[in-house]
Amino acid sequence: MISKKQIYHTQSVSKPGVWLLILGIVFAGANLRAPLTCVGPIIEIIRKNTGMSNTLAGMLTTLPLLAFALISPVAPKIARRFGLEHTLFGALLLLGAGILLRSVPFTPGLFSGTILLGIAIAVCNVLLPSLIKREFPNKVGMMTGTYSVSMNMWAAIASGVSIPITKGLGYGWRFSLVCWALISLVSIIVWIPQLLQKQHIPKSSSSGTHLWGSGLAWKVTLFMGLQSTVFYAIITWLPAILHQQGVNPTKAGWLLSLTQFASLPPTFIVPILAGRSANQRKLVAFTVIFLLLGYAGILSGMTWLAPVYVILIGIGIGSGFGLATMFFVLRTQNAHQAAELSGMAQSVGYLLAAIGPALFGFLHDQTHSWTVPLIILVVAAILLYVVGMGAGSNSFVREENENDNDNSQLKQKAL
């Protein structure tokens, strides 16, 4: 239970206002993956209906990631001008528009709407950790875990119901995509009370631009990119991989859903453990071990063990995401710097992740096998361990004009 004393920011906020903010964060989080994870289980149906190649179909996941890469560095600047609350509200409106456009019976609309929702999600991805650091400084781990669970829970539901909605209701794959506009509408309504709050635009003596010269910031960035590569490759192609191994499409969709349900406990628990730990290196090792065990299961081709190894992958994915999000706040000193690091990490990180789904589709088209793409995931997990050892160190990101003595003092404060 989160007490009033624990969650109040330094501003004077009523108790109902605090819980409305929590509710707004939870519903905003619900939109950040469901519009993307609902695509994976029906991507073969979309591809066959539209006549796309596997490579082009992979772009339905790659385009949002490219939007993440381009928009993430800009999001903190927009928020500093208009305020976090108004910027997030605008992003939710854009997200709803993108979902609607993606579902019109016009193939270019499918890609245009995907780009719009990618832009909207990018803004929310960057700014929600900053908002949490500002409003809940004493409960960063708890609140990060809470909104992450909301995000991953709805992502799992979206994966599981896409095939039943598409085939069971008889309205086709476009209806399966458009139904997520309802969650977007609810989120917009729930967020409206935040627009009535006094806007708090953080002041900082640091512009944040010097973070690009920080070695630690780059390790956090690469960790973000590698764990995102793993996640988006899995949600796009796991059903197709399992189907090729003999699993029927409906069961494959639910196995993807199981992967994401399995990610929920670590998504909530790992941020809390990370916030209480002197460093996060053991959690990084935990993450990589579970990923490698899951990949070994897929490569074995033993589909009767599929529920076991997709759960292992889900645990690794949830842990990796929880760590990546916490690194934004644990490696920074204030909300503005957290937004800047989040923007940097998600810009470069998602650019790296954008390669994954399209590359997977391309390699499958060339080799007619999923072995090579899966080996790439194994290599990515090993690299995740290498950069994670650095990102999990007990230190803050350094700007170019900080000296070693300043950094040493900051480490002592972190302890």
Side-chain angles (χ1 to χ4, degrees):
M1 179 67 66
I2 305 172
S3 71
K4 177 178 177 180
K5 180 178 180 181
Q6 288 171 322
I7 61 179
Y8 274 13
H9 182 54
T10 54
Q11 300 178 63
S12 178
V13 183
S14 66
K15 185 174 181 179
V18 172
W19 290 106
L20 279 174
L21 176 58
I22 293 174
L23 189 63
I25 290 172
V26 167
F27 272 94
N31 287 277
L32 301 189
R33 280 190 175 175
L36 304 179
T37 60
C38 67
V39 175
I42 58 174
I43 196 167
E44 280 296 305
I45 298 173
I46 295 174
R47 187 184 68 80
K48 291 178 181 178
N49 183 260
T50 59
M52 299 179 191
S53 66
N54 280 307
T55 304
L56 189 58
M59 291 299 293
L60 291 176
T61 301
T62 299
L63 283 173
L65 301 182
L66 291 174
F68 295 172
L70 293 173
I71 300 301
S72 293
V74 181
K77 297 176 177 60
I78 299 174
R80 285 179 65 80
R81 180 171 181 178
F82 299 104
L84 280 171
E85 290 81 0
H86 281 76
T87 304
L88 285 166
F89 182 73
L92 291 173
L93 289 174
L94 186 63
L95 176 63
I99 292 174
L100 293 174
L101 178 59
R102 182 176 65 169
S103 307
V104 299
F106 181 56
T107 300
L110 176 63
F111 290 95
S112 299
T114 298
I115 292 172
L116 287 183
L117 67 86
I119 293 172
I121 293 173
V123 173
C124 294
N125 278 338
V126 171
L127 298 184
L128 279 175
S130 176
L131 180 69
I132 288 172
K133 187 175 182 70
R134 190 192 80 189
E135 297 295 335
F136 307 96
N138 298 321
K139 281 290 177 181
V140 170
M142 178 71 74
M143 286 305 303
T144 298
T146 298
Y147 103 84
S148 297
V149 164
S150 175
M151 181 191 309
N152 287 288
M153 180 182 70
W154 282 101
I157 293 171
S159 296
V161 303
S162 287
I163 288 287
I165 290 176
T166 299
K167 294 185 174 181
L169 297 181
Y171 293 115
W173 60 267
R174 294 187 188 277
F175 180 77
S176 182
L177 295 181
V178 77
C179 66
W180 298 103
L182 180 61
I183 300 295
S184 177
L185 176 61
V186 173
S187 302
I188 290 169
I189 294 171
V190 171
W191 197 257
I192 288 175
Q194 303 310 315
L195 305 182
L196 306 178
Q197 300 293 327
K198 180 180 179 181
Q199 290 297 291
H200 178 86
I201 302 177
K203 302 296 182 181
S204 175
S205 59
S206 166
S207 65
T209 56
H210 297 299
L211 294 183
W212 291 84
S214 167
L216 178 56
W218 276 104
K219 291 172 184 175
V220 171
T221 295
L222 291 174
F223 188 91
M224 178 68 193
L226 289 167
Q227 69 86 25
S228 296
T229 299
V230 169
F231 174 77
Y232 286 102
I234 288 295
I235 67 165
T236 303
W237 295 115
L238 180 61
I241 294 171
L242 294 174
H243 180 54
Q244 183 168 298
Q245 292 180 344
V247 179
N248 71 66
T250 300
K251 184 178 179 181
W254 279 111
L255 284 170
L256 177 58
S257 183
L258 177 61
T259 303
Q260 292 170 90
F261 276 117
S263 75
L264 296 182
T267 295
F268 182 72
I269 296 170
V270 168
I272 296 174
L273 295 177
R276 295 175 179 176
S277 304
N279 67 68
Q280 293 74 42
R281 290 174 174 173
K282 290 182 180 179
L283 293 173
V284 170
F286 169 89
T287 298
V288 173
I289 289 171
F290 274 81
L291 288 174
L292 290 176
L293 289 174
Y295 299 156
I298 297 179
L299 285 166
S300 74
M302 295 185 288
T303 55
W304 58 278
L305 280 176
V308 175
Y309 57 71
V310 300
I311 287 174
L312 294 175
I313 292 174
I315 293 172
I317 286 174
S319 178
F321 177 77
L323 281 173
T325 306
M326 281 299 290
F327 286 156
F328 301 154
V329 295
L330 291 176
R331 301 286 87 91
T332 55
Q333 304 167 66
N334 54 60
H336 171 58
Q337 199 177 52
E340 292 288 345
L341 178 58
S342 179
M344 172 186 172
Q346 297 194 56
S347 174
V348 179
Y350 280 124
L351 185 60
L352 175 63
I355 299 172
L359 178 62
F360 262 49
F362 174 76
L363 290 175
H364 179 64
D365 285 341
Q366 298 302 309
T367 65
H368 305 289
S369 169
W370 293 107
T371 302
V372 174
L374 288 170
I375 290 174
I376 291 176
L377 281 185
V378 172
V379 173
I382 294 171
L383 292 175
L384 189 70
Y385 175 81
V386 174
V387 298
M389 288 297 103
S393 63
N394 183 24
S395 58
F396 292 118
V397 292
R398 294 180 58 196
E399 298 180 0
E400 290 177 345
N401 61 346
E402 291 178 340
N403 56 40
D404 292 340
N405 184 55
D406 291 337
N407 193 53
S408 176
Q409 292 176 357
L410 291 174
K411 287 184 180 180
Q412 292 299 319
K413 291 180 180 179
L415 295 174

